[in-house]
mmCIF file of all heavy atoms in Angstrom:
data_model
loop_
_atom_site.group_PDB
_atom_site.id
_atom_site.type_symbol
_atom_site.label_atom_id
_atom_site.label_comp_id
_atom_site.label_asym_id
_atom_site.label_seq_id
_atom_site.Cartn_x
_atom_site.Cartn_y
_atom_site.Cartn_z
ATOM 1 N N ALA A 1 142.456 103.030 58.624
ATOM 2 C CA ALA A 1 143.422 102.250 59.400
ATOM 3 C C ALA A 1 142.796 101.730 60.690
ATOM 4 O O ALA A 1 143.046 100.583 61.096
ATOM 5 C CB ALA A 1 144.647 103.103 59.709
ATOM 6 N N GLU A 2 141.969 102.553 61.335
ATOM 7 C CA GLU A 2 141.323 102.121 62.577
ATOM 8 C C GLU A 2 140.320 101.005 62.307
ATOM 9 O O GLU A 2 140.209 100.053 63.095
ATOM 10 C CB GLU A 2 140.638 103.314 63.230
ATOM 11 C CG GLU A 2 141.610 104.351 63.774
ATOM 12 C CD GLU A 2 140.887 105.562 64.323
ATOM 13 O OE1 GLU A 2 140.527 106.444 63.521
ATOM 14 O OE2 GLU A 2 140.684 105.636 65.545
ATOM 15 N N VAL A 3 139.582 101.104 61.208
ATOM 16 C CA VAL A 3 138.641 100.044 60.857
ATOM 17 C C VAL A 3 139.386 98.733 60.632
ATOM 18 O O VAL A 3 139.028 97.680 61.180
ATOM 19 C CB VAL A 3 137.843 100.422 59.586
ATOM 20 C CG1 VAL A 3 137.026 99.229 59.090
ATOM 21 C CG2 VAL A 3 136.929 101.601 59.865
ATOM 22 N N ILE A 4 140.444 98.790 59.837
ATOM 23 C CA ILE A 4 141.174 97.576 59.469
ATOM 24 C C ILE A 4 141.909 96.970 60.663
ATOM 25 O O ILE A 4 142.011 95.741 60.781
ATOM 26 C CB ILE A 4 142.149 97.893 58.315
ATOM 27 C CG1 ILE A 4 141.353 98.218 57.050
ATOM 28 C CG2 ILE A 4 143.114 96.739 58.063
ATOM 29 C CD1 ILE A 4 142.185 98.762 55.921
ATOM 30 N N ASN A 5 142.390 97.805 61.572
ATOM 31 C CA ASN A 5 143.198 97.299 62.686
ATOM 32 C C ASN A 5 142.417 96.983 63.947
ATOM 33 O O ASN A 5 142.953 96.338 64.864
ATOM 34 C CB ASN A 5 144.302 98.310 63.026
ATOM 35 C CG ASN A 5 145.425 98.318 62.007
ATOM 36 O OD1 ASN A 5 146.221 97.391 61.920
ATOM 37 N ND2 ASN A 5 145.484 99.381 61.211
ATOM 38 N N THR A 6 141.154 97.402 64.037
ATOM 39 C CA THR A 6 140.403 97.202 65.281
ATOM 40 C C THR A 6 139.151 96.346 65.123
ATOM 41 O O THR A 6 138.701 95.728 66.095
ATOM 42 C CB THR A 6 139.998 98.552 65.900
ATOM 43 O OG1 THR A 6 139.124 99.256 65.003
ATOM 44 C CG2 THR A 6 141.229 99.396 66.189
ATOM 45 N N TYR A 7 138.548 96.304 63.931
ATOM 46 C CA TYR A 7 137.340 95.502 63.758
ATOM 47 C C TYR A 7 137.689 94.017 63.818
ATOM 48 O O TYR A 7 138.764 93.604 63.365
ATOM 49 C CB TYR A 7 136.680 95.807 62.411
ATOM 50 C CG TYR A 7 135.857 97.076 62.374
ATOM 51 C CD1 TYR A 7 136.153 98.158 63.202
ATOM 52 C CD2 TYR A 7 134.800 97.219 61.491
ATOM 53 C CE1 TYR A 7 135.422 99.327 63.152
ATOM 54 C CE2 TYR A 7 134.056 98.386 61.424
ATOM 55 C CZ TYR A 7 134.366 99.435 62.257
ATOM 56 O OH TYR A 7 133.640 100.591 62.200
ATOM 57 N N ASN A 8 136.780 93.213 64.360
ATOM 58 C CA ASN A 8 137.039 91.775 64.405
ATOM 59 C C ASN A 8 136.852 91.149 63.026
ATOM 60 O O ASN A 8 136.322 91.783 62.099
ATOM 61 C CB ASN A 8 136.163 91.084 65.450
ATOM 62 C CG ASN A 8 134.672 91.212 65.159
ATOM 63 O OD1 ASN A 8 134.223 91.019 64.040
ATOM 64 N ND2 ASN A 8 133.890 91.540 66.193
ATOM 65 N N GLU A 9 137.278 89.911 62.898
ATOM 66 C CA GLU A 9 137.273 89.241 61.596
ATOM 67 C C GLU A 9 135.865 89.122 61.018
ATOM 68 O O GLU A 9 135.656 89.311 59.814
ATOM 69 C CB GLU A 9 137.901 87.847 61.733
ATOM 70 C CG GLU A 9 137.994 87.083 60.421
ATOM 71 C CD GLU A 9 138.657 85.718 60.580
ATOM 72 O OE1 GLU A 9 139.466 85.557 61.518
ATOM 73 O OE2 GLU A 9 138.347 84.814 59.780
ATOM 74 N N HIS A 10 134.896 88.833 61.878
ATOM 75 C CA HIS A 10 133.513 88.689 61.405
ATOM 76 C C HIS A 10 133.005 89.999 60.809
ATOM 77 O O HIS A 10 132.398 90.004 59.723
ATOM 78 C CB HIS A 10 132.617 88.252 62.559
ATOM 79 C CG HIS A 10 131.162 88.216 62.208
ATOM 80 N ND1 HIS A 10 130.594 87.203 61.462
ATOM 81 C CD2 HIS A 10 130.155 89.099 62.487
ATOM 82 C CE1 HIS A 10 129.303 87.449 61.298
ATOM 83 N NE2 HIS A 10 129.015 88.585 61.909
ATOM 84 N N ASP A 11 133.225 91.121 61.506
ATOM 85 C CA ASP A 11 132.742 92.408 61.008
ATOM 86 C C ASP A 11 133.464 92.825 59.735
ATOM 87 O O ASP A 11 132.856 93.403 58.825
ATOM 88 C CB ASP A 11 132.912 93.484 62.085
ATOM 89 C CG ASP A 11 131.884 93.358 63.201
ATOM 90 O OD1 ASP A 11 130.848 92.718 62.964
ATOM 91 O OD2 ASP A 11 132.132 93.879 64.310
ATOM 92 N N LEU A 12 134.765 92.571 59.662
ATOM 93 C CA LEU A 12 135.506 92.897 58.448
ATOM 94 C C LEU A 12 134.969 92.112 57.254
ATOM 95 O O LEU A 12 134.777 92.662 56.163
ATOM 96 C CB LEU A 12 136.996 92.599 58.647
ATOM 97 C CG LEU A 12 137.770 93.562 59.540
ATOM 98 C CD1 LEU A 12 139.168 93.024 59.828
ATOM 99 C CD2 LEU A 12 137.876 94.942 58.885
ATOM 100 N N ALA A 13 134.711 90.832 57.463
ATOM 101 C CA ALA A 13 134.174 90.004 56.382
ATOM 102 C C ALA A 13 132.797 90.505 55.945
ATOM 103 O O ALA A 13 132.485 90.550 54.741
ATOM 104 C CB ALA A 13 134.097 88.549 56.829
ATOM 105 N N ARG A 14 131.973 90.892 56.921
ATOM 106 C CA ARG A 14 130.633 91.407 56.594
ATOM 107 C C ARG A 14 130.729 92.689 55.769
ATOM 108 O O ARG A 14 130.009 92.853 54.770
ATOM 109 C CB ARG A 14 129.855 91.679 57.884
ATOM 110 C CG ARG A 14 128.507 92.352 57.674
ATOM 111 C CD ARG A 14 127.841 92.675 58.998
ATOM 112 N NE ARG A 14 128.694 93.490 59.852
ATOM 113 C CZ ARG A 14 128.834 94.812 59.733
ATOM 114 N NH1 ARG A 14 128.188 95.465 58.763
ATOM 115 N NH2 ARG A 14 129.611 95.482 60.563
ATOM 116 N N ILE A 15 131.603 93.606 56.172
ATOM 117 C CA ILE A 15 131.755 94.879 55.453
ATOM 118 C C ILE A 15 132.228 94.637 54.027
ATOM 119 O O ILE A 15 131.696 95.212 53.067
ATOM 120 C CB ILE A 15 132.750 95.786 56.210
ATOM 121 C CG1 ILE A 15 132.128 96.259 57.525
ATOM 122 C CG2 ILE A 15 133.155 96.984 55.351
ATOM 123 C CD1 ILE A 15 133.118 96.898 58.460
ATOM 124 N N LEU A 16 133.229 93.774 53.862
ATOM 125 C CA LEU A 16 133.760 93.493 52.533
ATOM 126 C C LEU A 16 132.719 92.801 51.656
ATOM 127 O O LEU A 16 132.617 93.071 50.455
ATOM 128 C CB LEU A 16 135.009 92.621 52.644
ATOM 129 C CG LEU A 16 136.215 93.251 53.352
ATOM 130 C CD1 LEU A 16 137.325 92.230 53.536
ATOM 131 C CD2 LEU A 16 136.733 94.448 52.569
ATOM 132 N N ARG A 17 131.911 91.935 52.268
ATOM 133 C CA ARG A 17 130.912 91.187 51.503
ATOM 134 C C ARG A 17 129.721 92.071 51.131
ATOM 135 O O ARG A 17 129.254 92.053 49.982
ATOM 136 C CB ARG A 17 130.421 89.993 52.321
ATOM 137 C CG ARG A 17 129.447 89.083 51.568
ATOM 138 C CD ARG A 17 128.978 87.926 52.436
ATOM 139 N NE ARG A 17 130.093 87.134 52.932
ATOM 140 C CZ ARG A 17 130.503 87.130 54.209
ATOM 141 N NH1 ARG A 17 129.869 87.885 55.111
ATOM 142 N NH2 ARG A 17 131.510 86.382 54.584
ATOM 143 N N VAL A 18 129.238 92.854 52.085
ATOM 144 C CA VAL A 18 128.028 93.647 51.860
ATOM 145 C C VAL A 18 128.328 94.925 51.088
ATOM 146 O O VAL A 18 127.661 95.241 50.094
ATOM 147 C CB VAL A 18 127.349 93.984 53.206
ATOM 148 C CG1 VAL A 18 126.155 94.907 52.985
ATOM 149 C CG2 VAL A 18 126.912 92.710 53.907
ATOM 150 N N TYR A 19 129.329 95.694 51.530
ATOM 151 C CA TYR A 19 129.618 96.984 50.912
ATOM 152 C C TYR A 19 130.485 96.864 49.658
ATOM 153 O O TYR A 19 130.427 97.734 48.785
ATOM 154 C CB TYR A 19 130.317 97.905 51.906
ATOM 155 C CG TYR A 19 129.452 98.319 53.078
ATOM 156 C CD1 TYR A 19 130.025 98.838 54.239
ATOM 157 C CD2 TYR A 19 128.070 98.212 53.030
ATOM 158 C CE1 TYR A 19 129.249 99.228 55.315
ATOM 159 C CE2 TYR A 19 127.284 98.592 54.102
ATOM 160 C CZ TYR A 19 127.879 99.096 55.248
ATOM 161 O OH TYR A 19 127.106 99.478 56.304
ATOM 162 N N GLY A 20 131.296 95.823 49.575
ATOM 163 C CA GLY A 20 132.161 95.658 48.414
ATOM 164 C C GLY A 20 131.718 94.561 47.478
ATOM 165 O O GLY A 20 132.268 94.416 46.389
ATOM 166 N N GLU A 21 130.730 93.760 47.927
ATOM 167 C CA GLU A 21 130.280 92.609 47.145
ATOM 168 C C GLU A 21 131.471 91.759 46.721
ATOM 169 O O GLU A 21 131.566 91.295 45.596
ATOM 170 C CB GLU A 21 129.459 93.074 45.937
ATOM 171 C CG GLU A 21 128.207 93.840 46.338
ATOM 172 C CD GLU A 21 127.386 94.298 45.152
ATOM 173 O OE1 GLU A 21 127.934 95.013 44.299
ATOM 174 O OE2 GLU A 21 126.196 93.923 45.073
ATOM 175 N N GLU A 22 132.383 91.587 47.684
ATOM 176 C CA GLU A 22 133.615 90.843 47.458
ATOM 177 C C GLU A 22 133.392 89.356 47.705
ATOM 178 O O GLU A 22 133.008 88.952 48.801
ATOM 179 C CB GLU A 22 134.726 91.383 48.367
ATOM 180 C CG GLU A 22 136.031 90.613 48.331
ATOM 181 C CD GLU A 22 136.607 90.493 46.941
ATOM 182 O OE1 GLU A 22 137.068 91.522 46.395
ATOM 183 O OE2 GLU A 22 136.581 89.362 46.409
ATOM 184 N N LYS A 23 133.634 88.566 46.679
ATOM 185 C CA LYS A 23 133.415 87.121 46.747
ATOM 186 C C LYS A 23 134.337 86.458 47.769
ATOM 187 O O LYS A 23 133.963 85.480 48.419
ATOM 188 C CB LYS A 23 133.632 86.525 45.360
ATOM 189 C CG LYS A 23 133.434 85.026 45.268
ATOM 190 C CD LYS A 23 133.657 84.550 43.845
ATOM 191 C CE LYS A 23 133.499 83.038 43.729
ATOM 192 N NZ LYS A 23 133.748 82.566 42.337
ATOM 193 N N PHE A 24 135.544 87.005 47.934
ATOM 194 C CA PHE A 24 136.533 86.395 48.817
ATOM 195 C C PHE A 24 136.667 87.186 50.126
ATOM 196 O O PHE A 24 137.758 87.322 50.674
ATOM 197 C CB PHE A 24 137.879 86.306 48.100
ATOM 198 C CG PHE A 24 137.829 85.516 46.820
ATOM 199 C CD1 PHE A 24 137.753 86.170 45.602
ATOM 200 C CD2 PHE A 24 137.819 84.133 46.840
ATOM 201 C CE1 PHE A 24 137.696 85.459 44.413
ATOM 202 C CE2 PHE A 24 137.754 83.404 45.656
ATOM 203 C CZ PHE A 24 137.687 84.066 44.433
ATOM 204 N N ALA A 25 135.546 87.702 50.613
ATOM 205 C CA ALA A 25 135.553 88.542 51.811
ATOM 206 C C ALA A 25 136.120 87.812 53.025
ATOM 207 O O ALA A 25 136.926 88.385 53.780
ATOM 208 C CB ALA A 25 134.140 89.034 52.103
ATOM 209 N N SER A 26 135.721 86.588 53.236
ATOM 210 C CA SER A 26 136.183 85.846 54.414
ATOM 211 C C SER A 26 137.688 85.615 54.368
ATOM 212 O O SER A 26 138.386 85.751 55.383
ATOM 213 C CB SER A 26 135.450 84.503 54.506
ATOM 214 O OG SER A 26 134.066 84.697 54.690
ATOM 215 N N GLN A 27 138.197 85.256 53.188
ATOM 216 C CA GLN A 27 139.637 85.024 53.059
ATOM 217 C C GLN A 27 140.439 86.303 53.294
ATOM 218 O O GLN A 27 141.479 86.290 53.951
ATOM 219 C CB GLN A 27 139.953 84.460 51.669
ATOM 220 C CG GLN A 27 139.386 83.064 51.415
ATOM 221 C CD GLN A 27 138.017 83.099 50.759
ATOM 222 O OE1 GLN A 27 137.169 83.910 51.149
ATOM 223 N NE2 GLN A 27 137.804 82.222 49.785
ATOM 224 N N ILE A 28 139.956 87.425 52.755
ATOM 225 C CA ILE A 28 140.664 88.701 52.931
ATOM 226 C C ILE A 28 140.627 89.115 54.399
ATOM 227 O O ILE A 28 141.631 89.575 54.952
ATOM 228 C CB ILE A 28 140.040 89.789 52.038
ATOM 229 C CG1 ILE A 28 140.233 89.435 50.558
ATOM 230 C CG2 ILE A 28 140.662 91.155 52.334
ATOM 231 C CD1 ILE A 28 139.497 90.356 49.600
ATOM 232 N N ALA A 29 139.465 88.981 55.055
ATOM 233 C CA ALA A 29 139.346 89.341 56.473
ATOM 234 C C ALA A 29 140.285 88.498 57.325
ATOM 235 O O ALA A 29 140.930 89.006 58.261
ATOM 236 C CB ALA A 29 137.900 89.165 56.938
ATOM 237 N N ARG A 30 140.381 87.223 57.003
ATOM 238 C CA ARG A 30 141.278 86.337 57.745
ATOM 239 C C ARG A 30 142.739 86.763 57.571
ATOM 240 O O ARG A 30 143.524 86.780 58.525
ATOM 241 C CB ARG A 30 141.079 84.902 57.267
ATOM 242 C CG ARG A 30 141.777 83.853 58.136
ATOM 243 C CD ARG A 30 141.522 82.444 57.624
ATOM 244 N NE ARG A 30 140.086 82.194 57.478
ATOM 245 C CZ ARG A 30 139.500 81.934 56.298
ATOM 246 N NH1 ARG A 30 140.220 81.896 55.192
ATOM 247 N NH2 ARG A 30 138.206 81.710 56.246
ATOM 248 N N GLU A 31 143.087 87.163 56.351
ATOM 249 C CA GLU A 31 144.458 87.600 56.078
ATOM 250 C C GLU A 31 144.755 88.929 56.780
ATOM 251 O O GLU A 31 145.870 89.150 57.263
ATOM 252 C CB GLU A 31 144.666 87.747 54.569
ATOM 253 C CG GLU A 31 146.079 88.080 54.145
ATOM 254 C CD GLU A 31 147.076 86.977 54.429
ATOM 255 O OE1 GLU A 31 146.654 85.819 54.669
ATOM 256 O OE2 GLU A 31 148.291 87.264 54.417
ATOM 257 N N ILE A 32 143.762 89.823 56.852
ATOM 258 C CA ILE A 32 143.941 91.096 57.562
ATOM 259 C C ILE A 32 144.281 90.841 59.026
ATOM 260 O O ILE A 32 145.220 91.424 59.575
ATOM 261 C CB ILE A 32 142.659 91.956 57.450
ATOM 262 C CG1 ILE A 32 142.484 92.487 56.033
ATOM 263 C CG2 ILE A 32 142.713 93.126 58.446
ATOM 264 C CD1 ILE A 32 141.161 93.204 55.807
ATOM 265 N N VAL A 33 143.503 89.980 59.672
ATOM 266 C CA VAL A 33 143.724 89.677 61.086
ATOM 267 C C VAL A 33 145.096 89.044 61.291
ATOM 268 O O VAL A 33 145.813 89.367 62.258
ATOM 269 C CB VAL A 33 142.604 88.756 61.614
ATOM 270 C CG1 VAL A 33 142.908 88.294 63.033
ATOM 271 C CG2 VAL A 33 141.259 89.478 61.565
ATOM 272 N N ARG A 34 145.489 88.151 60.402
ATOM 273 C CA ARG A 34 146.796 87.491 60.528
ATOM 274 C C ARG A 34 147.941 88.491 60.398
ATOM 275 O O ARG A 34 148.888 88.490 61.191
ATOM 276 C CB ARG A 34 146.939 86.399 59.461
ATOM 277 C CG ARG A 34 148.175 85.514 59.629
ATOM 278 C CD ARG A 34 148.279 84.508 58.508
ATOM 279 N NE ARG A 34 148.674 85.135 57.254
ATOM 280 C CZ ARG A 34 149.946 85.445 56.943
ATOM 281 N NH1 ARG A 34 150.919 85.213 57.810
ATOM 282 N NH2 ARG A 34 150.220 86.003 55.786
ATOM 283 N N ARG A 35 147.842 89.393 59.415
ATOM 284 C CA ARG A 35 148.920 90.360 59.174
ATOM 285 C C ARG A 35 149.023 91.396 60.298
ATOM 286 O O ARG A 35 150.123 91.795 60.675
ATOM 287 C CB ARG A 35 148.693 91.069 57.844
ATOM 288 C CG ARG A 35 148.827 90.176 56.632
ATOM 289 C CD ARG A 35 150.258 89.829 56.315
ATOM 290 N NE ARG A 35 150.337 89.140 55.031
ATOM 291 C CZ ARG A 35 150.579 89.742 53.869
ATOM 292 N NH1 ARG A 35 150.779 91.054 53.819
ATOM 293 N NH2 ARG A 35 150.630 89.040 52.751
ATOM 294 N N ARG A 36 147.874 91.859 60.799
ATOM 295 C CA ARG A 36 147.931 92.913 61.819
ATOM 296 C C ARG A 36 148.447 92.390 63.151
ATOM 297 O O ARG A 36 148.854 93.187 64.011
ATOM 298 C CB ARG A 36 146.568 93.571 61.977
ATOM 299 C CG ARG A 36 145.535 92.769 62.739
ATOM 300 C CD ARG A 36 144.166 93.405 62.654
ATOM 301 N NE ARG A 36 143.206 92.735 63.526
ATOM 302 C CZ ARG A 36 141.888 92.963 63.490
ATOM 303 N NH1 ARG A 36 141.385 93.824 62.618
ATOM 304 N NH2 ARG A 36 141.090 92.332 64.339
ATOM 305 N N GLU A 37 148.438 91.090 63.346
ATOM 306 C CA GLU A 37 149.055 90.525 64.541
ATOM 307 C C GLU A 37 150.577 90.654 64.480
ATOM 308 O O GLU A 37 151.246 90.677 65.519
ATOM 309 C CB GLU A 37 148.660 89.051 64.688
ATOM 310 C CG GLU A 37 147.194 88.847 65.070
ATOM 311 C CD GLU A 37 146.808 87.382 65.114
ATOM 312 O OE1 GLU A 37 147.636 86.542 64.689
ATOM 313 O OE2 GLU A 37 145.687 87.078 65.569
ATOM 314 N N GLN A 38 151.114 90.761 63.280
ATOM 315 C CA GLN A 38 152.550 90.902 63.098
ATOM 316 C C GLN A 38 152.979 92.368 63.183
ATOM 317 O O GLN A 38 153.988 92.702 63.797
ATOM 318 C CB GLN A 38 152.966 90.317 61.749
ATOM 319 C CG GLN A 38 152.601 88.845 61.586
ATOM 320 C CD GLN A 38 152.821 88.351 60.167
ATOM 321 O OE1 GLN A 38 153.364 89.061 59.322
ATOM 322 N NE2 GLN A 38 152.398 87.116 59.900
ATOM 323 N N GLU A 39 152.192 93.271 62.556
ATOM 324 C CA GLU A 39 152.463 94.704 62.581
ATOM 325 C C GLU A 39 151.195 95.452 62.182
ATOM 326 O O GLU A 39 150.346 94.909 61.470
ATOM 327 C CB GLU A 39 153.606 95.068 61.623
ATOM 328 C CG GLU A 39 153.313 94.747 60.169
ATOM 329 C CD GLU A 39 154.429 95.218 59.247
ATOM 330 O OE1 GLU A 39 155.264 96.017 59.694
ATOM 331 O OE2 GLU A 39 154.438 94.782 58.073
ATOM 332 N N PRO A 40 151.043 96.702 62.623
ATOM 333 C CA PRO A 40 149.856 97.474 62.244
ATOM 334 C C PRO A 40 149.797 97.679 60.735
ATOM 335 O O PRO A 40 150.827 97.852 60.078
ATOM 336 C CB PRO A 40 150.056 98.806 62.980
ATOM 337 C CG PRO A 40 151.008 98.500 64.079
ATOM 338 C CD PRO A 40 151.915 97.427 63.565
ATOM 339 N N ILE A 41 148.585 97.682 60.203
ATOM 340 C CA ILE A 41 148.368 97.945 58.771
ATOM 341 C C ILE A 41 148.067 99.436 58.633
ATOM 342 O O ILE A 41 146.989 99.895 59.012
ATOM 343 C CB ILE A 41 147.207 97.085 58.233
ATOM 344 C CG1 ILE A 41 147.480 95.613 58.508
ATOM 345 C CG2 ILE A 41 147.000 97.336 56.738
ATOM 346 C CD1 ILE A 41 146.267 94.723 58.281
ATOM 347 N N GLU A 42 149.001 100.191 58.082
ATOM 348 C CA GLU A 42 148.897 101.651 58.118
ATOM 349 C C GLU A 42 148.891 102.302 56.742
ATOM 350 O O GLU A 42 148.619 103.494 56.636
ATOM 351 C CB GLU A 42 150.046 102.231 58.947
ATOM 352 C CG GLU A 42 150.004 101.791 60.414
ATOM 353 C CD GLU A 42 151.188 102.317 61.203
ATOM 354 O OE1 GLU A 42 152.200 102.684 60.567
ATOM 355 O OE2 GLU A 42 151.089 102.362 62.445
ATOM 356 N N THR A 43 149.215 101.582 55.682
ATOM 357 C CA THR A 43 149.293 102.197 54.355
ATOM 358 C C THR A 43 148.435 101.441 53.349
ATOM 359 O O THR A 43 148.104 100.263 53.532
ATOM 360 C CB THR A 43 150.741 102.225 53.841
ATOM 361 O OG1 THR A 43 151.177 100.884 53.572
ATOM 362 C CG2 THR A 43 151.672 102.875 54.850
ATOM 363 N N THR A 44 148.101 102.149 52.270
ATOM 364 C CA THR A 44 147.316 101.523 51.205
ATOM 365 C C THR A 44 148.108 100.404 50.538
ATOM 366 O O THR A 44 147.533 99.401 50.103
ATOM 367 C CB THR A 44 146.917 102.567 50.157
ATOM 368 O OG1 THR A 44 148.091 103.235 49.667
ATOM 369 C CG2 THR A 44 145.970 103.603 50.751
ATOM 370 N N GLY A 45 149.421 100.576 50.452
ATOM 371 C CA GLY A 45 150.256 99.532 49.856
ATOM 372 C C GLY A 45 150.179 98.232 50.626
ATOM 373 O O GLY A 45 150.077 97.142 50.034
ATOM 374 N N GLN A 46 150.220 98.320 51.960
ATOM 375 C CA GLN A 46 150.076 97.116 52.787
ATOM 376 C C GLN A 46 148.719 96.465 52.559
ATOM 377 O O GLN A 46 148.613 95.237 52.438
ATOM 378 C CB GLN A 46 150.220 97.480 54.268
ATOM 379 C CG GLN A 46 151.612 97.846 54.730
ATOM 380 C CD GLN A 46 151.596 98.267 56.188
ATOM 381 O OE1 GLN A 46 151.204 99.387 56.517
ATOM 382 N NE2 GLN A 46 152.013 97.360 57.066
#
């Protein structure tokens, strides 16, 4: 939760791309930042 809610968009995208080999890392990181501005991301379901 701390990683997802505190890391900046660039670092989140890098982690998803490098450690997860996720093709859509940038899009997911952008969506994380957008959602956490509305409310904290605290569960796996979110």
Side-chain angles (χ1 to χ4, degrees):
E2 291 176 277
V3 171
I4 292 170
N5 286 289
T6 62
Y7 281 28
N8 62 46
E9 182 178 334
H10 174 77
D11 285 340
L12 287 171
R14 174 184 56 81
I15 290 168
L16 296 173
R17 184 181 303 108
V18 175
Y19 293 162
E21 299 180 303
E22 174 56 70
K23 180 179 179 181
F24 302 100
S26 297
Q27 294 93 317
I28 295 173
R30 190 179 307 117
E31 185 66 17
I32 289 173
V33 173
R34 188 183 73 81
R35 293 286 188 94
R36 76 189 187 191
E37 289 176 351
Q38 302 171 7
E39 62 176 345
I41 304 168
E42 297 177 340
T43 68
T44 55
Q46 288 176 282

